Amino acid sequence: MNCLLSIFLVITGAAILTIINIYPSKQFITAPVWDPQGTPCTSGGKVLYETGIEYFADENYTAAKTAFIELIETYPDDPFAIASLHELFALEQFLDNDYATLGNYYAAFTPADSTLFDVADFLATRCNVVGKNWQPAIDWYENRIENPPSYQDSVFAVIDLGDIHLMMEADTIGGAKSGTPRWHYRLTDIKPHSKQEHEINKATLPQIKSQKPQTAYSIPQTNKKGALGQNVPNLATGITTIDFEIYAEGAVEIAIYNIAGQLVKSLPQGTLAEGSYQTKITVAGMPVGMYHYALFINGERTDAKKMIVN
């Protein structure tokens, strides 16, 4: 890092350069310069992250993985370390598809790693889902529903657990269609009975027994007047695209909320006729993390989905 240190002492209107003795003095050449704006220092974490992203874009996946792991281990408190955990998950499909090993890497993080544990714990569970290691994933989401960090986390866990149940049913290796289900649920009333029921639940964001005070996430709606597609790409960086459908003419708005339920962006789309549409959303400058975007038609929310900003 090339950061200039400039020290001036102003006495009675005259600028006097203050000399600082640095030991061993003969090994330093100093040339202080007045820099009222301050010269920003580029963090080592940011440099490694940008290097990893460049490798990723160039399809040098092994080098990208090495850069992200080095960042995580060298700068665990840097915000780019969290982003690197997500990048490792995205990378794996281009490497060995060894989600079991990647899951073990995430699982090695402990609660003492306060800045990384929650993200690593979540991604370890996603590795179980991708690897069809269903029971640990079910257990994790049921625990999240019963002991949520926030009400929003419990809502998302209900939705994700429903998604997992449908994936298990579609998995001919050992889901509900095998005739002898091998998976144990404690919260059996949360399992959707059909894909249609689950889609309705996702649109209305169902209430949870141990509910905390409601936020913008928890506004119940009964009439579905439109539907959202999953944003692409997700993980979202820079600009992400959202497809949506309108089932009847109306004034349309897409709103983005952070994990605390606070409105981040309001994006009016105007009055639209029945049909399929697409909109591009800029996420540059939004903090890394989980967000929720909702579709409003004539002021009523009709669908909602999650996205991750990286």
Side-chain angles (χ1 to χ4, degrees):
M1 295 182 290
N2 296 319
C3 299
L4 298 176
L5 175 63
S6 304
I7 302 178
F8 280 86
L9 179 63
V10 178
I11 300 178
T12 63
I16 302 175
L17 177 63
T18 299
I19 306 298
I20 296 180
N21 292 322
I22 304 178
Y23 179 85
S25 60
K26 292 184 180 179
Q27 295 186 19
F28 290 86
I29 299 176
T30 60
V33 176
W34 174 241
D35 186 5
Q37 300 299 322
T39 302
C41 302
T42 302
S43 73
K46 181 179 181 181
V47 170
L48 276 173
Y49 182 75
E50 292 177 344
T51 299
I53 290 296
E54 289 177 4
Y55 282 137
F56 201 161
D58 292 338
E59 300 183 4
N60 190 348
Y61 303 125
T62 300
K65 181 176 181 178
T66 299
F68 292 134
I69 290 177
E70 182 181 351
L71 192 164
I72 293 165
E73 295 178 353
T74 307
Y75 305 100
D77 296 326
D78 193 304
F80 287 99
I82 293 176
S84 294
L85 288 174
H86 287 289
E87 295 294 348
L88 289 177
F89 187 85
L91 269 171
E92 193 59 38
Q93 64 179 309
F94 301 102
L95 289 165
D96 305 318
N97 275 303
D98 186 358
Y99 287 94
T101 298
L102 181 60
N104 290 335
Y105 173 77
Y106 289 136
F109 289 88
T110 68
D113 306 305
S114 57
T115 58
L116 299 178
F117 173 74
D118 288 342
V119 174
D121 188 41
F122 168 76
L123 290 172
T125 302
R126 299 311 299 172
C127 286
N128 282 327
V129 172
V130 174
K132 299 181 180 180
N133 191 12
W134 302 121
Q135 192 62 60
I138 292 170
D139 294 342
W140 189 90
Y141 278 108
E142 288 187 328
N143 181 67
R144 179 56 63 98
I145 292 167
E146 293 180 322
N147 304 283
S150 70
Y151 173 67
Q152 290 75 30
D153 285 303
S154 62
V155 171
F156 289 146
V158 169
I159 293 173
D160 287 340
L161 190 57
D163 287 336
I164 289 171
H165 177 70
L166 294 176
M167 284 188 281
M168 288 166 55
E169 284 193 328
D171 180 15
T172 57
I173 295 176
K177 292 184 178 180
S178 67
T180 56
R182 298 177 295 172
W183 321 117
H184 172 68
Y185 283 85
R186 287 181 292 104
L187 307 179
T188 55
D189 57 327
I190 290 179
K191 291 195 302 181
H193 296 94
S194 66
K195 183 176 181 181
Q196 181 180 12
E197 178 192 48
H198 183 53
E199 290 300 322
I200 293 174
N201 288 343
K202 289 168 70 174
T204 58
L205 296 175
Q207 305 299 304
I208 297 170
K209 293 179 181 179
S210 57
Q211 179 178 333
K212 295 184 179 181
Q214 293 189 7
T215 67
Y217 284 101
S218 54
I219 303 171
Q221 300 293 339
T222 56
N223 298 320
K224 192 168 183 179
K225 300 179 180 179
L228 284 167
Q230 184 61 55
N231 65 298
V232 178
N234 187 37
L235 311 171
T237 56
I239 296 177
T240 190
T241 300
I242 296 176
D243 294 318
F244 60 95
E245 293 183 356
I246 305 300
Y247 302 147
E249 181 177 340
V252 178
E253 178 186 4
I254 294 176
I256 301 177
Y257 301 90
N258 62 21
I259 196 64
Q262 299 168 323
L263 179 66
V264 176
K265 286 179 181 285
S266 176
L267 306 163
Q269 304 296 306
T271 299
L272 301 177
E274 177 183 357
S276 297
Y277 298 89
Q278 185 179 86
T279 186
K280 294 184 182 297
I281 296 175
T282 300
V283 298
M286 291 169 56
V288 171
M290 184 81 71
Y291 291 82
H292 153 252
Y293 59 99
L295 176 66
F296 290 83
I297 300 177
N298 294 328
E300 296 183 7
R301 186 175 63 184
T302 186
D303 199 3
K305 287 188 180 295
K306 296 180 298 181
M307 72 174 173
I308 298 175
V309 173
N310 199 356

